[in-house]
């Protein structure tokens, strides 16, 4: 799993890899996470599952708004 940093405010965190999945949270510029699954291509994006509170929360985000840390 790669460590990544979010590059956009109000980035939707979804319950699965695609825009049809429910939004469960949001992240902002500078937030960090650990990639635990993906990549999955869907709905014009490449999705990655992030653990973003070090074991407390996980969800799927569009990779276009992430950068390697």
């Amino acid at each position: 799993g790669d460590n990544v940093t979010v590059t956009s405010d109000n980035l939707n965190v979804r319950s699965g890899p695609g825009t049809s999945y429910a939004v469960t949270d949001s992240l902002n510029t500078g937030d960090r996470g650990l990639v635990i699954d993906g990549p999955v291509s869907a709905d014009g994006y490449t999705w990655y599952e992030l653990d973003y509170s070090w074991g407390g929360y996980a969800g799927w985000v569009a990779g276009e708004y992430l950068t390697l840390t």
Side-chain angles (χ1 to χ4, degrees):
D2 290 326
N3 288 303
V4 294
T5 301
V6 175
T7 62
S8 177
D9 285 334
N10 299 312
L11 176 61
N12 288 332
V13 178
R14 296 183 179 272
S15 60
T19 57
S20 61
Y21 287 89
V23 175
T24 58
D25 205 348
S26 67
L27 298 172
N28 291 302
T29 300
D31 289 345
R32 295 180 179 214
L34 176 68
V35 175
I36 57 174
D37 201 358
V40 174
S41 294
D43 303 318
Y45 295 97
T46 303
W47 298 87
Y48 295 90
E49 187 176 18
L50 295 186
D51 173 350
Y52 57 91
S53 70
W54 318 117
Y57 296 97
W60 291 84
V61 298
E64 286 78 352
Y65 304 105
L66 302 173
T67 187
L68 286 174
T69 302

